[in-house]
């Protein structure tokens, strides 16, 4: 899904015209129209600009995807995002990670792994990424459902990490 598609879907869901959307982003309406229709690539930073303007988790994930080329949690647009459904899926994914942790030979270094060990390690990595995706969506759904700021939650989290001296 392109940034243009994501912006278009978001704008429509919010019931905003391109004019209203462009005013919030401080961009020209015709630029928004061209990006949404795919006639023009989104300028670098447009997704981040939209994320900051609207403080929406999906837009922040789109900005991360743009910067990383896809090496980040994708927004799931074809699943049930009701808070209960997301909670159940998140718990399921976390249980799968925990179950695999007892099988994986974590005490071995990379050069000590057998091919069978690598298979288990890869399964653990894949389950971990699936859990990250589920947890990210769970946090996003809770922020939206209960009107918490996505940016505010992450800002507070970073402050806690710094207070614990986990980061400088």
């Amino acid at each position: 899904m392109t940034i243009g598609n994501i912006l278009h879907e978001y704008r429509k869901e919010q019931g905003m015209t391109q004019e209203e959307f462009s005013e919030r982003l401080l961009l020209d309406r015709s630029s928004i129209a061209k990006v949404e229709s795919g006639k023009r690539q989104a300028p670098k930073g447009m997704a981040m600009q939209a994320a900051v303007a609207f403080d929406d988790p999906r837009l922040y994930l789109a900005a991360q995807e743009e910067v990383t080329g896809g090496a980040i949690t994708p927004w799931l647009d074809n699943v049930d995002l009701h808070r209960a459904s997301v909670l159940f899926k998140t718990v399921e994914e976390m249980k799968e990670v925990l179950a695999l942790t007892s099988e994986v030979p974590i005490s071995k270094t990379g050069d000590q792994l057998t091919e069978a060990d690598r298979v288990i390690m890869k399964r653990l990595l894949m389950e971990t990424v699936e859990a990250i995706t589920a947890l990210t969506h769970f946090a996003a759904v809770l922020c939206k459902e209960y009107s918490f700021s996505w940016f505010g939650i992450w800002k507070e989290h970073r402050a806690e990490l710094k207070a614990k001296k986990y980061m400088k």
Side-chain angles (χ1 to χ4, degrees), residues 15-99:
M16 296 170 60
T17 65
Q18 286 179 338
E19 187 66 36
E20 292 166 329
F21 193 73
S22 67
E23 286 174 10
R24 291 281 298 272
L25 294 184
L26 304 174
L27 293 171
D28 176 76
R29 188 210 58 79
S30 66
S31 294
I32 299 293
K34 288 175 185 170
V35 168
E36 285 185 0
S37 68
K39 292 179 183 170
R40 178 177 166 208
Q41 278 201 316
K44 290 269 185 234
M46 181 186 239
M48 188 61 190
Q49 194 174 349
V52 170
F54 296 103
D55 193 21
D56 185 271
R58 179 174 27 168
L59 299 175
Y60 276 106
L61 291 176
Q64 290 176 348
E65 187 167 343
E66 179 182 70
V67 170
T68 66
I72 197 70
T73 302
W75 184 257
L76 303 179
D77 58 1
N78 196 30
V79 297
D80 179 3
L81 290 176
H82 184 276
R83 63 190 179 277
S85 299
V86 177
L87 170 63
F88 295 140
K89 186 62 177 174
T90 300
V91 169
E92 175 187 317
E93 295 297 346
M94 291 188 313
K95 284 180 179 178
E96 290 173 0
V97 169
L98 290 173

Side-chain angles (χ1 to χ4, degrees), residues 5 44 67 137 139 143 145 148:
N5 296 93
K44 290 269 185 234
V67 170
H137 282 75
C143 282
E145 182 74 24
F148 286 97

Side-chain angles (χ1 to χ4, degrees), residues 94-121:
M94 291 188 313
K95 284 180 179 178
E96 290 173 0
V97 169
L98 290 173
L100 276 174
T101 59
S102 63
E103 293 179 39
V104 75
I106 203 71
S107 61
K108 292 182 179 180
T109 62
D111 61 336
Q112 294 172 326
L113 293 179
T114 66
E115 198 53 43
D117 293 338
R118 291 188 61 74
V119 168
I120 295 169
M121 191 66 71

